């Protein structure tokens, strides 16, 4: 049941993105945090949304697998980033991609390319680009994670270490001016670090919601990659850190 016009707007935003923080909802609706909390309460009471720590999600989507749910979050921003990056990759080049929602969007944007060599630990990316347009796809082995369908561990790292590619691309969970690039899982951070070391171009793709966050495990500092692609200008301290390290900043626009 929609209780008001603003409730309808909340449900529309959740339908597009899956989950949204309370702070982001307040900013996008132009109201206070307390107003958003009051608006969310009747929607939670009637089962339309589910409340989480500092965020809300659409109840009908919460049964999805975690990776599928993350694909819905900030989907348009990730699609814009992926489209911009895909335009810089040429037919016949070699690309290494780690698992992540933004890199999965990039794989879909690369469906128009031909004769790519793709190295990845993501079964989603491998399925997307294998057997089409003369591509060669190499997938790292190991046990596949149930949430993302990606392989991690020593065997996966050793496998990708054998390749040298034109474009090494990772998605990242957190970017902080002091901590650099961090993630939330040790194996994911270790794999991402190896990927960045294997490309003539080392590229980090992330949407603006990851700025100012700190994960548990450090991937690298701002001198550990050559370029960061995102959808909005980062905060001044992160922009300054990128500039000091000589890393290029590219921003996707609609």
């Amino acid at each position: 049941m929609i209780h008001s016009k603003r409730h309808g707007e909340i449900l529309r935003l959740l339908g597009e993105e899956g989950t949204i923080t309370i702070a982001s909802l307040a900013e996008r609706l132009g109201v206070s945090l307390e107003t958003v909390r009051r608006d969310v309460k009747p929607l939670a009471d009637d089962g339309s949304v589910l409340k989480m720590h500092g965020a809300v999600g659409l109840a009908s989507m919460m049964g999805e697998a975690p990776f599928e749910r993350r694909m819905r979050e900030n989907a348009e921003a990730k699609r814009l980033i992926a489209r911009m990056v895909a335009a810089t990759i040429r037919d016949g080049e070699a690309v290494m991609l780690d698992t992540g929602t933004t890199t999965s969007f990039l794989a879909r944007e690369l469906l128009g390319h031909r004769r790519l060599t793709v190295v990845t630990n993501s079964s989603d990316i491998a399925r997307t680009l294998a057997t089409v347009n003369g591509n060669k796809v190499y997938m790292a082995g190991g046990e596949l994670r149930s949430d993302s369908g990606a392989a991690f561990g020593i065997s996966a790292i050793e496998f990708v270490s054998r390749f040298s590619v034109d474009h090494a691309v990772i998605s990242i969970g957190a970017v902080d001016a002091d901590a650099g690039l961090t993630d939330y899982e040790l194996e994911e951070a270790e794999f991402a670090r190896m990927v960045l070391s294997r490309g003539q171009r080392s590229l980090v793709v992330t949407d603006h919601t990851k700025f100012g966050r700190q994960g548990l495990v450090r991937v690298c500092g701002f001198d550990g990659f050559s370029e960061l692609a995102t959808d909005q200008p980062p905060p001044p301290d992160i922009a300054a850190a990128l500039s000091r390290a000589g890393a290029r900043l590219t921003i996707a626009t609609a």
Side-chain angles (χ1 to χ4, degrees):
M1 181 176 67
I2 296 177
H3 303 266
S4 72
K5 182 178 179 180
R6 199 157 58 233
H7 288 139
E9 182 65 8
I10 291 171
L11 293 174
R12 184 188 69 79
L13 291 170
L14 288 172
E16 292 177 355
E17 301 188 21
T19 61
I20 308 177
T21 65
I22 295 293
S24 179
L25 271 177
E27 179 182 352
R28 294 168 74 167
L29 295 172
V31 298
S32 70
L33 293 172
E34 285 306 313
T35 297
V36 169
R37 291 189 183 102
R38 285 196 300 269
D39 284 341
V40 164
K41 187 178 186 304
L43 295 175
D45 290 344
D46 71 18
S48 298
V49 305
L50 295 178
K51 290 196 294 185
M52 296 162 280
H53 181 66
V56 291
L58 201 61
S60 61
M61 294 182 182
M62 298 308 286
E64 293 176 310
F67 187 80
E68 293 173 352
R69 188 160 63 246
R70 292 199 304 273
M71 285 290 285
R72 290 182 178 272
E73 295 172 358
N74 303 308
E76 188 52 36
K78 294 171 183 177
R79 194 174 289 111
L80 284 174
I81 297 165
R83 193 169 298 144
M84 176 183 69
V85 172
T88 69
I89 297 171
R90 295 177 294 185
D91 289 352
E93 290 190 317
V95 187
M96 188 177 292
L97 302 167
D98 78 343
T99 187
T101 54
T102 308
T103 44
S104 280
F105 275 107
L106 175 56
R108 286 151 177 76
E109 293 296 329
L110 289 173
L111 281 169
H113 288 55
R114 302 186 64 82
R115 303 183 312 281
L116 295 175
T117 299
V118 179
V119 185
T120 186
N121 68 327
S122 164
S123 60
D124 177 77
I125 292 172
R127 278 196 311 269
T128 299
L129 292 173
T131 71
V132 297
N133 298 340
N135 295 337
K136 291 182 180 178
V137 175
Y138 298 89
M139 184 172 170
E143 182 179 358
L144 297 186
R145 289 264 186 90
S146 59
D147 61 337
S148 64
F152 289 102
I154 294 173
S155 60
I157 290 173
E158 288 181 346
F159 180 81
V160 299
S161 71
R162 303 172 193 167
F163 295 85
S164 295
V165 298
D166 300 296
H167 309 271
V169 188
I170 70 163
S171 57
I172 197 68
V175 184
D176 179 78
D178 296 322
L181 305 187
T182 56
D183 222 316
Y184 300 94
E185 297 283 345
L186 176 62
E187 288 185 328
E188 293 188 22
E190 291 175 336
F191 188 85
R193 193 180 304 119
M194 175 57 73
V195 170
L196 289 175
S197 73
R198 305 316 301 160
Q200 294 182 32
R201 175 199 191 194
S202 52
L203 174 61
V204 177
V205 292
T206 189
D207 68 84
H208 70 279
T209 64
K210 310 306 190 302
F211 295 140
R213 294 184 181 180
Q214 284 194 33
L216 181 65
V217 187
R218 193 169 193 257
V219 175
C220 65
F222 290 96
D223 57 353
F225 56 93
S226 59
E227 184 178 345
L228 185 142
T230 186
D231 63 308
Q232 292 184 21
D237 57 347
I238 292 177
L242 287 165
S243 180
R244 285 193 301 270
R248 182 184 178 193
L249 173 66
T250 55
I251 299 171
T253 56

